[in-house]
Coordinates of all heavy atoms in Angstrom, one line a residue:
M684 N 0.9 -1.2 0.1 CA 0.1 0.0 0.0 C 0.9 1.2 0.0 O 1.8 1.4 0.9 CB -1.0 0.0 1.3 CG -1.8 1.2 1.3 SD -2.9 1.2 2.7 CE -4.0 -0.1 2.3
K685 N 0.6 2.2 -0.9 CA 1.3 3.4 -0.9 C 0.9 4.4 0.1 O -0.3 4.4 0.5 CB 1.2 4.0 -2.3 CG 1.8 3.2 -3.5 CD 1.6 3.8 -4.8 CE 2.0 2.9 -5.8 NZ 1.7 3.5 -7.1
A686 N 1.7 5.2 0.5 CA 1.4 6.2 1.6 C 0.2 7.1 1.2 O -0.6 7.4 2.0 CB 2.6 7.1 1.9
E687 N 0.2 7.4 -0.1 CA -0.9 8.3 -0.6 C -2.3 7.6 -0.6 O -3.2 8.2 -0.7 CB -0.7 9.0 -1.9 CG -0.4 7.9 -3.2 CD 1.1 7.5 -3.3 OE1 1.8 7.9 -2.4 OE2 1.3 7.0 -4.2
D688 N -2.2 6.2 -0.4 CA -3.5 5.5 -0.4 C -4.1 5.4 1.0 O -5.3 4.9 1.2 CB -3.3 4.1 -0.8 CG -2.9 4.1 -2.4 OD1 -3.3 4.9 -3.1 OD2 -2.2 3.1 -2.8
I689 N -3.4 5.9 2.1 CA -3.9 5.9 3.4 C -4.7 7.2 3.7 O -4.2 8.2 3.6 CB -2.7 5.8 4.4 CG1 -1.8 4.6 4.1 CG2 -3.3 5.8 5.9 CD1 -0.5 4.6 4.8
R690 N -6.0 7.0 3.7 CA -7.0 8.1 3.7 C -8.3 7.6 4.1 O -8.6 6.4 4.2 CB -7.1 8.8 2.4 CG -7.4 7.9 1.3 CD -7.4 8.7 -0.1 NE -8.6 9.6 0.0 CZ -8.9 10.5 -0.9 NH1 -8.1 10.5 -2.1 NH2 -9.9 11.1 -0.8
W691 N -9.1 8.5 4.6 CA -10.5 8.1 5.0 C -11.2 7.7 3.9 O -11.1 8.4 2.8 CB -11.1 9.3 5.8 CG -10.4 9.7 7.0 CD1 -9.7 10.9 7.3 CD2 -10.5 9.1 8.3 NE1 -9.3 10.9 8.5 CE2 -9.7 9.9 9.2 CE3 -11.1 7.8 8.7 CZ2 -9.6 9.4 10.6 CZ3 -11.0 7.5 10.2 CH2 -10.3 8.3 11.0
N692 N -12.1 6.8 4.0 CA -13.1 6.4 2.9 C -14.1 7.6 2.7 O -14.2 8.4 3.7 CB -13.7 5.1 3.1 CG -14.6 5.1 4.4 OD1 -15.3 6.0 4.6 ND2 -14.6 4.0 5.2
E693 N -14.8 7.5 1.7 CA -15.7 8.6 1.3 C -16.7 8.9 2.4 O -17.1 10.0 2.7 CB -16.3 8.5 -0.1 CG -15.3 8.8 -1.1 CD -14.5 10.1 -1.0 OE1 -15.1 11.2 -0.7 OE2 -13.3 10.0 -1.1
P694 N -17.5 7.8 2.9 CA -18.5 8.0 3.8 C -17.8 8.7 5.2 O -18.5 9.6 5.7 CB -19.1 6.6 4.3 CG -18.8 5.9 3.0 CD -17.5 6.4 2.3
A695 N -16.6 8.3 5.6 CA -16.0 8.9 6.8 C -15.7 10.3 6.5 O -15.9 11.1 7.3 CB -14.9 8.0 7.1
R696 N -15.1 10.6 5.2 CA -14.8 12.0 4.9 C -16.0 12.9 4.9 O -15.9 14.0 5.5 CB -14.2 12.0 3.5 CG -12.8 11.4 3.4 CD -12.4 11.2 2.0 NE -11.9 12.5 1.4 CZ -10.7 13.1 1.7 NH1 -9.8 12.4 2.3 NH2 -10.4 14.2 1.1
A697 N -17.1 12.4 4.4 CA -18.3 13.1 4.4 C -18.9 13.5 5.7 O -19.3 14.4 6.1 CB -19.5 12.4 3.7
K698 N -18.7 12.4 6.7 CA -19.2 12.6 8.1 C -18.2 13.7 8.8 O -18.8 14.4 9.6 CB -19.1 11.3 8.8 CG -19.5 11.5 10.4 CD -20.1 10.3 11.0 CE -20.5 10.5 12.4 NZ -20.4 11.7 13.1
I699 N -16.9 13.5 8.5 CA -16.0 14.5 9.2 C -16.4 16.0 8.7 O -16.5 16.9 9.6 CB -14.5 14.2 8.8 CG1 -14.2 12.8 9.5 CG2 -13.7 15.3 9.1 CD1 -12.9 12.2 8.9
L700 N -16.7 16.1 7.5 CA -17.1 17.4 7.0 C -18.4 17.8 7.6 O -18.6 19.1 7.9 CB -17.1 17.4 5.5 CG -17.4 18.7 4.8 CD1 -16.4 19.8 5.3 CD2 -17.3 18.7 3.3
D701 N -19.4 17.0 7.7 CA -20.7 17.4 8.1 C -20.5 17.7 9.7 O -21.2 18.7 10.1 CB -21.7 16.1 8.0 CG -22.2 15.8 6.6 OD1 -22.0 16.8 5.8 OD2 -22.8 14.8 6.4
D702 N -19.7 17.0 10.5 CA -19.4 17.2 11.9 C -18.9 18.6 12.0 O -19.2 19.4 12.9 CB -18.7 16.2 12.5 CG -19.4 14.9 12.6 OD1 -20.6 14.8 12.5 OD2 -18.7 14.0 13.0
A703 N -17.9 19.0 11.1 CA -17.3 20.2 11.1 C -18.2 21.4 10.9 O -18.1 22.4 11.4 CB -16.1 20.3 10.2
D704 N -19.1 21.2 9.9 CA -20.1 22.2 9.5 C -21.0 22.4 10.8 O -21.4 23.5 11.0 CB -20.9 21.7 8.3 CG -20.2 21.8 7.0 OD1 -19.2 22.5 6.9 OD2 -20.7 21.2 6.0
A705 N -21.4 21.3 11.4 CA -22.3 21.4 12.6 C -21.6 22.3 13.7 O -22.3 23.1 14.3 CB -22.7 20.0 13.0
V706 N -20.4 22.0 14.0 CA -19.7 22.8 14.9 C -19.7 24.2 14.6 O -19.9 25.2 15.5 CB -18.2 22.3 15.1 CG1 -17.4 23.3 15.9 CG2 -18.3 21.0 15.8
L707 N -19.4 24.6 13.3 CA -19.3 26.0 12.9 C -20.8 26.5 13.0 O -21.0 27.7 13.5 CB -18.8 26.1 11.5 CG -19.0 27.4 10.8 CD1 -18.1 28.4 11.5 CD2 -18.5 27.4 9.3
R708 N -21.7 25.9 12.5 CA -23.2 26.3 12.5 C -23.7 26.6 13.9 O -24.3 27.7 14.3 CB -24.2 25.3 11.8 CG -25.6 25.7 11.7 CD -26.4 24.7 11.0 NE -25.8 24.3 9.7 CZ -25.2 23.1 9.5 NH1 -25.2 22.2 10.5 NH2 -24.6 22.8 8.4
E709 N -23.4 25.8 14.8 CA -23.8 25.9 16.2 C -23.1 27.2 16.8 O -23.8 27.9 17.5 CB -23.2 24.6 17.1 CG -23.5 24.7 18.5 CD -23.0 23.5 19.2 OE1 -23.3 22.4 18.8 OE2 -22.2 23.7 20.2
A710 N -21.9 27.3 16.6 CA -21.2 28.6 17.1 C -21.7 29.9 16.5 O -22.0 30.7 17.2 CB -19.7 28.4 16.8
V711 N -21.9 29.9 15.2 CA -22.5 31.0 14.5 C -23.8 31.4 15.0 O -24.2 32.5 15.4 CB -22.5 30.9 13.1 CG1 -23.4 32.0 12.3 CG2 -21.0 30.8 12.5
L712 N -24.7 30.3 15.1 CA -26.1 30.6 15.6 C -26.1 31.1 17.1 O -27.0 31.9 17.5 CB -26.9 29.3 15.4 CG -27.4 29.0 13.9 CD1 -28.1 27.7 13.9 CD2 -28.2 30.2 13.3
D713 N -25.3 30.4 17.9 CA -25.3 30.7 19.4 C -24.8 32.2 19.6 O -25.5 32.9 20.4 CB -24.3 29.8 20.1 CG -24.5 30.0 21.6 OD1 -25.7 30.0 22.1 OD2 -23.3 30.3 22.2
I714 N -23.8 32.6 18.8 CA -23.4 34.0 19.0 C -24.4 34.9 18.4 O -24.8 36.0 19.2 CB -22.0 34.2 18.3 CG1 -21.0 33.4 18.9 CG2 -21.6 35.6 18.2 CD1 -19.7 33.1 18.1
A715 N -25.0 34.6 17.4 CA -26.0 35.5 16.8 C -27.3 35.6 17.7 O -27.9 36.7 17.8 CB -26.4 35.0 15.4
R716 N -27.6 34.5 18.4 CA -28.7 34.5 19.3 C -28.5 35.1 20.6 O -29.3 35.9 21.2 CB -29.1 33.0 19.6 CG -29.9 32.3 18.5 CD -30.1 30.9 18.9 NE -30.7 30.2 17.8 CZ -30.5 28.9 17.4 NH1 -29.6 28.1 18.1 NH2 -31.0 28.4 16.4
S717 N -27.3 35.0 21.1 CA -27.0 35.6 22.4 C -26.2 36.8 22.6 O -26.1 37.4 23.7 CB -26.2 34.4 23.2 OG -24.8 34.2 22.6
Q718 N -25.7 37.2 21.5 CA -24.9 38.5 21.6 C -25.4 39.6 20.5 O -24.6 40.0 19.6 CB -23.4 38.2 21.4 CG -22.9 37.2 22.4 CD -21.5 37.0 22.3 OE1 -20.8 37.9 22.1 NE2 -21.1 35.8 22.9
S719 N -26.6 40.0 20.8 CA -27.2 41.0 19.9 C -26.2 42.3 19.9 O -25.9 42.7 21.0 CB -28.6 41.4 20.4 OG -29.2 42.3 19.6
G720 N -26.1 42.9 18.7 CA -25.3 44.1 18.7 C -23.7 43.9 18.8 O -23.1 45.0 18.9
I721 N -23.3 42.8 18.7 CA -21.9 42.4 18.7 C -21.3 43.0 17.6 O -21.8 42.9 16.4 CB -21.7 40.9 18.8 CG1 -20.2 40.7 19.1 CG2 -22.1 40.1 17.6 CD1 -19.8 39.3 19.6
S722 N -20.0 43.5 17.5 CA -19.3 44.0 16.4 C -18.8 42.9 15.6 O -18.6 41.7 16.1 CB -18.1 44.9 16.8 OG -17.1 44.2 17.4
S723 N -18.5 43.1 14.3 CA -17.8 42.0 13.6 C -16.6 41.5 14.1 O -16.3 40.4 14.1 CB -17.7 42.6 12.1 OG -17.0 41.6 11.3
D724 N -15.7 42.4 14.6 CA -14.4 42.1 15.1 C -14.6 41.2 16.3 O -13.9 40.2 16.6 CB -13.6 43.3 15.4 CG -13.0 44.0 14.2 OD1 -12.9 43.3 13.2 OD2 -12.6 45.1 14.3
D725 N -15.6 41.6 17.3 CA -15.8 40.7 18.5 C -16.5 39.4 18.1 O -16.1 38.4 18.8 CB -16.7 41.5 19.4 CG -16.1 42.7 20.0 OD1 -14.8 42.7 20.1 OD2 -16.7 43.6 20.6
A726 N -17.3 39.4 17.1 CA -17.8 38.1 16.6 C -16.7 37.2 16.1 O -16.7 36.1 16.3 CB -18.9 38.3 15.6
F727 N -15.8 37.8 15.3 CA -14.7 37.1 14.7 C -13.9 36.5 15.9 O -13.4 35.3 15.8 CB -13.8 38.0 13.9 CG -12.6 37.4 13.2 CD1 -12.8 36.7 12.0 CD2 -11.3 37.6 13.7 CE1 -11.8 36.1 11.4 CE2 -10.3 37.0 13.1 CZ -10.5 36.4 11.9
V728 N -13.5 37.3 16.9 CA -12.7 36.8 18.0 C -13.5 35.7 18.7 O -12.9 34.6 19.0 CB -12.5 37.9 19.0 CG1 -12.0 37.3 20.4 CG2 -11.5 38.9 18.3
E729 N -14.8 35.8 18.9 CA -15.6 34.8 19.7 C -15.7 33.5 18.8 O -15.5 32.5 19.3 CB -17.0 35.3 20.0 CG -17.8 34.3 20.8 CD -17.3 33.9 22.1 OE1 -16.4 34.7 22.6 OE2 -17.8 32.9 22.7
L730 N -15.9 33.6 17.5 CA -15.9 32.4 16.7 C -14.6 31.7 16.7 O -14.5 30.5 16.8 CB -16.3 32.9 15.2 CG -17.7 33.2 15.0 CD1 -17.8 33.7 13.5 CD2 -18.5 31.9 15.0
N731 N -13.5 32.4 16.7 CA -12.2 31.8 16.7 C -11.9 31.1 18.0 O -11.4 30.0 18.1 CB -11.0 32.7 16.4 CG -11.0 33.0 14.9 OD1 -10.7 32.2 14.2 ND2 -11.1 34.3 14.5
R732 N -12.4 31.7 19.1 CA -12.2 31.2 20.4 C -12.9 29.9 20.5 O -12.4 28.9 21.0 CB -12.8 32.1 21.5 CG -12.6 31.7 22.9 CD -13.4 32.5 24.0 NE -14.7 32.4 23.8 CZ -15.4 31.4 24.3 NH1 -14.7 30.3 24.9 NH2 -16.7 31.3 24.3
R733 N -14.1 29.8 19.9 CA -14.9 28.5 20.0 C -14.5 27.4 19.0 O -14.6 26.2 19.3 CB -16.4 28.8 19.7 CG -17.0 29.7 20.7 CD -18.4 30.0 20.3 NE -19.0 30.9 21.2 CZ -20.3 30.9 21.7 NH1 -21.2 30.0 21.1 NH2 -20.8 31.8 22.4
M734 N -13.8 27.9 17.9 CA -13.3 26.9 16.9 C -12.0 26.3 17.3 O -11.7 25.1 17.0 CB -13.2 27.6 15.5 CG -14.5 28.2 14.9 SD -15.6 26.9 14.3 CE -16.9 26.9 15.6
K735 N -11.1 27.1 17.9 CA -9.7 26.6 17.9 C -9.3 25.4 18.7 O -8.6 24.6 18.4 CB -8.7 27.8 18.5 CG -9.1 28.1 20.0 CD -8.2 29.2 20.5 CE -8.5 29.3 22.0 NZ -7.5 29.9 22.8
D736 N -10.2 25.1 19.7 CA -10.0 23.7 20.4 C -10.8 22.7 19.9 O -10.8 21.6 20.3 CB -10.3 24.1 21.9 CG -9.4 24.9 22.6 OD1 -8.2 25.0 22.2 OD2 -9.8 25.6 23.5
R737 N -11.6 22.9 18.8 CA -12.4 21.8 18.2 C -11.8 21.2 17.0 O -12.3 20.1 16.5 CB -13.7 22.3 17.9 CG -14.5 23.1 19.0 CD -15.1 22.2 20.0 NE -16.1 21.1 19.5 CZ -17.3 21.2 19.5 NH1 -18.0 22.3 19.8 NH2 -18.1 20.2 19.1
F738 N -10.7 21.8 16.5 CA -10.1 21.3 15.2 C -8.6 21.3 15.4 O -7.9 22.1 16.1 CB -10.4 22.2 14.0 CG -11.9 22.3 13.8 CD1 -12.7 23.3 14.2 CD2 -12.5 21.3 13.0 CE1 -14.2 23.3 14.0 CE2 -14.0 21.3 12.8 CZ -14.7 22.3 13.3
I739 N -8.0 20.1 14.9 CA -6.6 20.0 14.8 C -6.0 21.1 13.8 O -6.6 21.2 12.7 CB -6.1 18.6 14.4 CG1 -6.7 17.6 15.3 CG2 -4.7 18.6 14.2 CD1 -6.6 16.2 14.8
D740 N -4.9 21.8 14.3 CA -4.3 22.8 13.3 C -5.3 23.8 12.9 O -5.2 24.3 11.7 CB -3.6 22.0 12.2 CG -2.5 21.2 12.6 OD1 -1.8 21.5 13.6 OD2 -2.1 20.3 11.9
Y741 N -6.2 24.2 13.7 CA -7.2 25.3 13.2 C -6.5 26.6 13.0 O -5.6 27.1 13.7 CB -8.1 25.6 14.4 CG -9.1 26.7 14.1 CD1 -10.1 26.5 13.2 CD2 -8.9 28.0 14.7 CE1 -10.9 27.7 12.9 CE2 -9.7 29.0 14.3 CZ -10.7 28.9 13.4 OH -11.4 29.9 13.1
E742 N -6.7 27.2 11.8 CA -6.4 28.5 11.4 C -7.6 29.2 10.9 O -8.3 28.7 10.1 CB -5.3 28.4 10.3 CG -4.0 27.8 10.7 CD -3.2 28.9 11.6 OE1 -3.4 30.1 11.5 OE2 -2.4 28.2 12.5
P743 N -8.0 30.5 11.4 CA -9.0 31.2 10.8 C -8.9 31.5 9.4 O -7.7 31.8 9.0 CB -9.2 32.4 11.7 CG -7.7 32.6 12.2 CD -7.2 31.2 12.4
G744 N -10.0 31.4 8.7 CA -9.9 31.7 7.3 C -11.0 32.7 6.9 O -11.6 33.3 7.8
P745 N -11.2 33.0 5.7 CA -12.1 34.0 5.2 C -13.5 33.6 5.6 O -14.4 34.5 5.8 CB -12.0 34.0 3.6 CG -11.2 32.9 3.3 CD -10.5 32.5 4.6
D746 N -13.9 32.4 5.7 CA -15.2 31.9 6.1 C -15.6 32.6 7.5 O -16.7 32.9 7.7 CB -15.4 30.4 6.1 CG -15.5 29.8 4.8 OD1 -15.6 30.6 3.7 OD2 -15.4 28.7 4.7
I747 N -14.6 32.5 8.4 CA -14.9 32.9 9.7 C -15.3 34.5 9.8 O -16.2 35.0 10.4 CB -13.8 32.7 10.7 CG1 -13.5 31.1 10.8 CG2 -14.1 33.3 12.1 CD1 -14.8 30.3 11.3
R748 N -14.5 35.3 9.0 CA -14.8 36.7 8.8 C -16.1 36.8 8.2 O -16.9 37.8 8.5 CB -13.7 37.3 8.0 CG -14.0 38.8 7.6 CD -14.2 39.7 8.9 NE -13.0 39.7 9.8 CZ -13.1 40.4 10.9 NH1 -14.2 41.0 11.3 NH2 -12.0 40.4 11.7
K749 N -16.5 36.1 7.2 CA -17.7 36.1 6.5 C -18.9 35.9 7.5 O -19.9 36.7 7.5 CB -17.9 35.1 5.4 CG -19.3 35.1 4.7 CD -19.3 34.0 3.6 CE -19.3 32.7 4.1 NZ -19.5 31.7 3.0
Y750 N -18.8 35.0 8.4 CA -19.9 34.8 9.4 C -19.8 35.8 10.4 O -21.0 36.2 11.0 CB -19.7 33.3 9.9 CG -19.9 32.3 8.8 CD1 -19.0 31.3 8.5 CD2 -21.1 32.2 8.1 CE1 -19.2 30.4 7.5 CE2 -21.4 31.4 7.1 CZ -20.3 30.4 6.7 OH -20.6 29.6 5.8
A751 N -18.7 36.3 10.8 CA -18.7 37.4 11.8 C -19.3 38.6 11.3 O -20.1 39.2 12.0 CB -17.2 37.6 12.2
D752 N -19.1 38.9 10.0 CA -19.7 40.0 9.3 C -21.2 39.9 9.3 O -22.1 40.8 9.7 CB -19.2 40.3 8.0 CG -17.7 40.8 8.0 OD1 -17.2 41.2 9.1 OD2 -17.1 40.8 6.8
A753 N -21.7 38.6 9.0 CA -23.2 38.5 9.0 C -23.7 38.5 10.3 O -24.9 39.0 10.4 CB -23.4 37.1 8.3
I754 N -23.1 38.0 11.3 CA -23.6 38.1 12.7 C -23.8 39.5 13.1 O -24.9 40.0 13.6 CB -22.6 37.4 13.7 CG1 -22.7 35.8 13.6 CG2 -23.0 37.8 15.1 CD1 -21.7 35.1 14.3
A755 N -22.7 40.4 12.9 CA -22.8 41.8 13.2 C -23.9 42.5 12.5 O -24.5 43.5 13.0 CB -21.4 42.4 13.0
A756 N -24.2 42.1 11.2 CA -25.1 42.8 10.4 C -26.6 42.3 10.6 O -27.5 42.8 10.0 CB -24.7 42.6 8.8
G757 N -26.7 41.3 11.5 CA -28.0 40.7 11.8 C -28.5 39.9 10.7 O -29.7 39.8 10.6
E758 N -27.7 39.3 10.0 CA -28.1 38.5 8.7 C -28.3 37.1 8.9 O -28.4 36.3 7.9 CB -27.1 38.8 7.6 CG -27.0 40.3 7.1 CD -25.9 40.6 6.2 OE1 -25.1 39.8 6.0 OE2 -26.0 41.6 5.5
I759 N -28.1 36.6 10.1 CA -28.2 35.2 10.4 C -29.7 34.8 10.6 O -30.3 35.2 11.6 CB -27.3 34.7 11.5 CG1 -25.8 35.1 11.4 CG2 -27.4 33.3 11.8 CD1 -25.1 34.5 10.2
E760 N -30.2 34.0 9.7 CA -31.5 33.6 9.8 C -31.7 32.3 10.9 O -30.7 31.8 11.0 CB -32.0 33.0 8.4 CG -32.1 34.1 7.4 CD -32.6 33.7 6.1 OE1 -33.3 32.6 6.1 OE2 -32.4 34.3 5.1
D761 N -32.9 32.3 11.5 CA -33.1 31.3 12.5 C -32.3 31.5 13.6 O -32.1 30.6 14.5 CB -32.9 29.9 11.9 CG -33.9 29.5 10.8 OD1 -35.0 29.9 10.9 OD2 -33.3 28.8 9.8
A762 N -31.8 32.8 13.9 CA -31.1 32.9 15.2 C -31.9 33.2 16.3 O -31.4 33.1 17.5 CB -30.3 34.2 14.9
Q763 N -33.2 33.3 16.2 CA -34.1 33.4 17.3 C -35.0 32.2 17.6 O -36.0 32.3 18.3 CB -35.0 34.6 16.9 CG -34.2 36.0 16.7 CD -33.2 36.3 17.9 OE1 -33.7 36.2 19.0 NE2 -32.3 36.8 17.6
D764 N -34.6 31.0 17.1 CA -35.4 29.8 17.4 C -35.6 29.6 18.8 O -34.7 29.6 19.6 CB -34.8 28.6 16.6 CG -35.0 28.7 15.1 OD1 -35.8 29.5 14.6 OD2 -34.5 27.9 14.4

């Protein structure tokens, strides 16, 4: 077996990605629900705080800024469920 052949199978890869999406979604919704009027920068900091210990080698990317901006703008739907 070649080293490049060692990898998660497709169902496992899909589950890993779905789980990661759920962690992100939970954090975005929780911040949007609980921190009305938060600035984009503060939402960015809070999202990173919540993400960093949930993922190996976590590095914030443009998606986190996009969601922080949306939280600050009040653009997150279903935030009041």
